[in-house]
Amino acid sequence: MDVPASKHPSAELYGRGVYRFLSSRQWVIITLVALLLIPTMIWLGFWQMDRYGERDARNRLVADALAADPVPVERLAAPGDAVTRAERYRTVTAKGRFDTDDEVVVRRRTNADDRVGFHVLTPFVLDDGKVLLVNRGWIPSEAGQTAFPEVPAPPRGEVTIKGRLMPDETTEASGIKDLEGLPDRQIMLINSEREAERLGAQVLGGYVAQTAPEPKDGTPERLGDPGKENSALNYAYAVQWWLFAAAVPVGWFVLARREARERARAAAEAADAEETEPAAV
């Protein structure tokens, strides 16, 4: 005789609560992990959106700065003043002469090919006697990192230069440690205040990465234009994290349903086997 559907063992099992396994230690841990993952992934999505906003704003600032008309450097920089975020990368001009006697090199700098060498930092004396620090570009460290390298000479006499205004370098921003006990005329970071003390002169805040005039024989190598940061990647990561957050409860529900079906099927098979087993004589 067929067993009524309402009396089938699997139906009775559902009636008694097939999801009681959710209170087991294994499923409590799974549930707690899922509950922890959801807000974490949502937070990671918002963090990526913040990074997207920062990079997008930086890209706009760089583009605006590079597109702006050149201005005399003293309109934006002054002794003791810091170069602001909005002034960074602005194209400036300066008229004066290079002072190679007080020239230094900046250690552990790479070029476009990731070769390690130096940046050449030359004081540029303006017509009013103030000093502008000019990064003339990159040269290789062919004689090693201890000896002062052979530096190509800049143009002699009075000259007008053009370049990108940059803020003083810091360890926090660059990740470069400011080491002590370096060889003579070598530095790790470009710092206008420290250079003012060394030169005993009024030094404009920040420095200029020279772009014109072009050096003879292409050396020192000019520094490349600031690259555009891939802000779209952060946007994609944010969406990805939020999709993961939405997938966690869906995945938990699917796993729970599958577990319940498997337990119900096993219970039904066990009940059927018990019914068909011959009675003991």
Side-chain angles (χ1 to χ4, degrees), residues 10 45 49-50 54 96 110 117 144 176 184 187 197 204 217 223 227 233 253 267-268:
S10 63
M49 285 301 294
D50 288 341
E54 291 171 2
T110 57
I176 300 173
D184 188 38
I187 61 175
E197 294 178 4
L204 273 61
D217 302 323
L223 304 183
L233 191 61
F253 180 76

Side-chain angles (χ1 to χ4, degrees), residues 92-96 98 124 134-137 153-163 208-222:
V92 295
T93 59
K95 185 178 180 181
F98 284 105
F124 189 76
V134 177
N135 187 337
R136 296 200 289 124
R156 294 180 178 272
E158 191 171 71
V159 63
T160 298
I161 65 166
K162 183 187 295 185
V208 166
Q210 185 179 348
T211 57
E214 290 291 331
K216 293 180 180 179
D217 302 323
T219 182
E221 291 182 18
R222 286 289 180 257

Side-chain angles (χ1 to χ4, degrees), residues 5-17:
S6 59
K7 299 297 184 179
H8 196 278
S10 63
E12 292 180 2
L13 185 61
Y14 272 97
R16 292 196 301 267

Side-chain angles (χ1 to χ4, degrees), residues 72-95:
V73 66
E74 290 185 280
R75 188 180 298 180
L76 300 178
D81 287 352
V83 175
T84 66
R85 190 165 180 258
E87 294 167 344
R88 186 177 185 176
Y89 300 120
R90 282 290 303 273
T91 300
V92 295
T93 59
K95 185 178 180 181

Side-chain angles (χ1 to χ4, degrees), residues 47-71:
W47 179 77
Q48 287 290 351
M49 285 301 294
D50 288 341
R51 291 287 294 147
Y52 163 76
E54 291 171 2
R55 286 187 165 186
D56 192 57
R58 185 260 183 190
N59 288 339
R60 289 197 302 270
L61 280 174
V62 172
D64 292 343
L66 295 178
D69 294 332
V71 298

Side-chain angles (χ1 to χ4, degrees), residues 9 16-18 25-27 43 82 102 107 154 164 187 190 231 268 277:
R16 292 196 301 267
V18 72
R25 182 174 182 272
Q26 177 184 5
W27 272 93
W43 177 84
D102 290 314
R107 292 166 56 93
R164 298 187 300 273
I187 61 175
I190 303 176
S231 59
E277 184 178 343

